[in-house]
Amino acid sequence: MPSMAEREPFRWPVRVYWEDTDAGGVVYHASYLRFLERARTEWLRALGIGQMAFKETTGLAFLVREMQLDFLRAALLDDELTVTVAVKERRAASILFGQTIARADGACLVRANVRVACVDTRRMRAVAIPADLIPEPSP
């Protein structure tokens, strides 16, 4: 397995549909949150981690703890987007992701920092992330 330093950010394609937009065909701000979430979910799948199976076998889940979003430009109906996921920091019980959403022409639309916490779903308390689950970020 390549080190984090050798890895490119994970990329996930998204197409903008009517349901993602307002009446003017501009992506509604909350839709970007769904795009970011889907990309993190697919990143986990690419690592071989299905969230439901992970929850059922460990009793753990990843919950969003904090988000910082910078909306730079608007996406429009039918735009082809790419959402990236990169691990910026891994703590004992949380991961900080750096994410972007860009149009097919390369224009960056959204920059986000998203911290997720590993939580014991029975007690709803933060717990340590299993050591071999998520790779360490690059320096």
Side-chain angles (χ1 to χ4, degrees), residues 29 32-33 36 67-71 101 110-114:
H29 71 277
Y32 294 108
L33 300 178
L36 295 167
M67 294 182 110
Q68 178 187 23
L69 292 112
D70 192 3
F71 297 97
I101 300 175
V110 176
R111 283 193 193 107
N113 286 314
V114 181

Side-chain angles (χ1 to χ4, degrees), residues 12 50 75 78-79 93-94 96:
W12 186 253
D78 279 339
D79 277 353
S94 71
L96 177 63

Side-chain angles (χ1 to χ4, degrees), residues 40 43-44 47 49 54 58-65 87-97 114-121 123 125-137:
R40 290 191 309 277
W43 173 79
L44 279 171
L47 292 175
I49 304 163
F54 177 66
T58 65
L60 304 177
F62 291 103
L63 303 180
V64 172
R65 161 90 172 60
V87 176
K88 292 178 73 173
E89 175 185 77
R90 182 171 180 242
R91 294 183 182 167
S94 71
I95 302 166
L96 177 63
F97 293 101
V114 181
R115 182 170 300 280
V116 298
C118 185
V119 174
D120 177 326
T121 59
R123 298 181 305 131
R125 300 241 190 257
V127 296
I129 298 167
D132 61 344
L133 189 66
I134 306 296
E136 293 290 332

